[in-house]
């Protein structure tokens, strides 16, 4: 079977690795254009492109796929490449571009999406983050037959994964990426016999894109909610609070008993009062410094009981 692959970050690259290891022919890879990254802001290829180049697979990097849009020339070139690839199916994982109908219709068996949630819960851009933030007990991966909607297509396969009490987005991402790789191989191997199940109308939620502004910690929230947000926003964008005019990154915390004015340091540790309960901050980072245990932070900048963190 000839499988065109479309994806960009490491989550997708792991799926591409699995497809290649299973012996499928991949005649073409689509991925986002190279982006500036790092201190020198040099152009850097996506994780998927790096894997494709290493495997000798042709790569297309259109800026858009609408044949009548701003990037019509890119879209036309991508269309030629897709037609030449003569694909039985396209696998899509965290690609980053909306696929217009002409793309969905090009492969003989359409496009299969690897989505990191138990659809219809957490459609959208950030399903892993939002599942942790919401306190979900489990998540998983859904293989979906794509249609023109936003993660609205029929479900083909689903696998569940428990969310552990100490999971960060980074940690859960890696487990779901491995799960997605194995599940898409299973789907491709049985593609002619898979049953399509429409998504239920009940239980639809949207995982909106993570914005940097969300990093500001609102100490009026319950400590348990803040703790989940810290794990959900690790590695990006983290949690940010202000202490005596200095921005401090808060990476991890533990929920403890305690009360006081929201943001007030009520015990050594430091232990910070929240809207309900308190949070012992266990991993911190000063501006320009490295993230590390709170004990190392306190050696450089002691925090006294009575000081107050602001949003």
């Amino acid at each position: 079977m000839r499988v065109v692959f479309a994806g960009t970050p490491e989550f997708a690259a792991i799926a591409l690795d699995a497809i290649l290891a299973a012996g499928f022919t991949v005649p073409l890879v689509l991925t986002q254009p190279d982006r500036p990254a790092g201190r020198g802001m040099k152009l850097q290829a996506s994780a998927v492109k790096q894997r494709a180049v290493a495997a000798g697979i042709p790569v297309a990097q259109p800026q858009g796929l609408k044949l009548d849009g701003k990037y019509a020339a890119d879209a036309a070139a991508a269309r030629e490449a897709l037609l030449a690839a003569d694909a039985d199916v396209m696998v899509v994982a965290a690609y980053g571009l909306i696929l217009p109908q002409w793309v969905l219709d090009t492969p003989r068996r359409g496009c299969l999406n690897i989505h990191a949630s138990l659809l219809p819960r957490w459609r959208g851009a950030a399903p892993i983050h939002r599942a942790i933030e919401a306190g979900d007990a489990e998540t998983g991966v859904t293989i979906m037959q794509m249609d023109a909607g936003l993660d609205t297509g029929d479900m083909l396969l689903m696998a569940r994964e428990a969310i552990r009490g100490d999971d960060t987005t980074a940690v859960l991402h890696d487990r779901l990426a491995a799960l997605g790789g194995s599940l898409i191989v299973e789907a491709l191997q049985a593609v002619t016999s898979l049953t399509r199940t429409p998504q239920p109308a009940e239980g639809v939620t949207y995982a909106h894109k993570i914005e940097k502004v969300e990093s500001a910690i609102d100490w009026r929230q319950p400590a348990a909610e803040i703790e989940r947000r810290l794990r959900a926003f690790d590695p990006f964008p983290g949690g940010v609070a202000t202490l005596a005019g200095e921005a401090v990154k808060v990476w991890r915390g533990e929920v403890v008993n305690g009360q006081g004015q929201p943001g007030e340091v009520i015990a050594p540790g430091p232990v910070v009062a929240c809207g309900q309960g308190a949070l012992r901050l266990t991993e911190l980072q000063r501006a320009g410094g490295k993230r590390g245990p709170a004990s190392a932070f306190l050696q450089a900048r002691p925090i006294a009981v009575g000081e107050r963190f602001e949003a």
Side-chain angles (χ1 to χ4, degrees):
M1 179 153 42
R2 296 173 66 81
V3 181
V4 167
F5 188 87
T8 298
E10 185 65 20
F11 180 89
I14 290 171
L16 177 58
D17 288 341
I19 291 168
L20 292 172
F24 291 99
T25 299
V26 180
L28 177 68
V29 161
L30 300 180
T31 191
Q32 287 279 308
D34 297 358
R35 306 290 191 199
R39 288 179 178 268
M41 295 300 287
K42 294 182 179 179
L43 288 178
Q44 182 172 318
S46 72
V48 164
K49 181 181 178 179
Q50 293 176 42
R51 300 289 215 288
V53 170
I57 302 170
V59 176
Q61 297 177 269
Q63 296 187 73
L65 289 169
K66 291 183 178 180
L67 292 171
D68 58 352
K70 178 180 179 181
Y71 302 110
D74 273 18
R79 186 173 185 273
E80 288 186 14
L82 275 171
L83 290 171
D86 190 31
D88 293 293
V89 66
M90 177 189 286
V91 171
V92 183
Y95 177 31
L97 287 181
I98 294 174
L99 303 188
Q101 194 64 46
W102 74 262
V103 176
L104 300 175
D105 293 340
T106 298
R108 281 180 283 277
R109 296 191 178 276
C111 300
L112 307 186
N113 179 246
I114 308 170
H115 189 75
S117 83
L118 301 175
L119 290 170
R121 186 160 177 80
W122 301 129
R123 295 173 179 172
I128 302 176
H129 307 72
R130 299 305 184 190
I132 294 175
E133 181 187 16
D136 291 359
E138 66 174 359
T139 184
V141 172
T142 304
I143 305 299
M144 173 187 65
Q145 186 80 43
M146 296 182 71
D147 61 17
L150 176 62
D151 299 329
T152 56
D154 292 345
M155 300 180 292
L156 302 173
L157 288 176
M158 181 180 288
R160 298 176 180 274
E161 176 70 25
I163 299 179
R164 302 166 188 167
D166 60 350
D167 273 339
T168 63
T169 286
V171 170
L172 184 56
H173 164 281
D174 290 351
R175 297 208 306 275
L176 293 179
L179 183 60
S182 62
L183 202 62
I184 192 59
V185 168
E186 181 182 342
L188 291 172
Q189 290 171 338
V191 70
T192 59
S193 58
L194 292 175
T195 300
R196 295 173 59 154
T197 303
Q199 294 185 37
E202 308 81 31
V204 175
T205 57
Y206 288 92
H208 298 287
K209 179 181 177 181
I210 303 297
E211 303 289 349
K212 190 172 182 179
V213 68
E214 294 182 77
S215 64
I217 298 172
D218 183 353
W219 299 101
R220 296 170 297 179
Q221 293 182 328
E225 290 186 16
I226 296 173
E227 188 274 338
R228 290 199 306 267
R229 285 173 66 88
L230 294 179
R231 290 189 287 112
F233 294 170
D234 183 356
F236 175 85
V240 177
T242 302
L243 181 67
E246 178 185 355
V248 176
K249 277 249 185 182
V250 181
W251 289 105
R252 297 299 293 273
E254 298 173 352
V255 178
V256 297
N257 293 326
Q259 59 182 5
Q261 292 298 312
E264 178 188 2
V265 178
I266 58 174
V271 177
V272 183
C274 304
Q276 181 179 329
L279 203 63
R280 183 188 305 278
L281 309 186
T282 59
E283 191 172 350
L284 300 168
Q285 181 180 1
R286 298 187 78 177
K290 296 180 179 180
R291 62 185 285 181
S295 57
F297 182 99
L298 293 172
Q299 288 180 352
R301 201 294 191 190
I303 300 175
V305 173
E307 288 195 81
R308 187 164 180 171
F309 284 91
E310 305 288 348

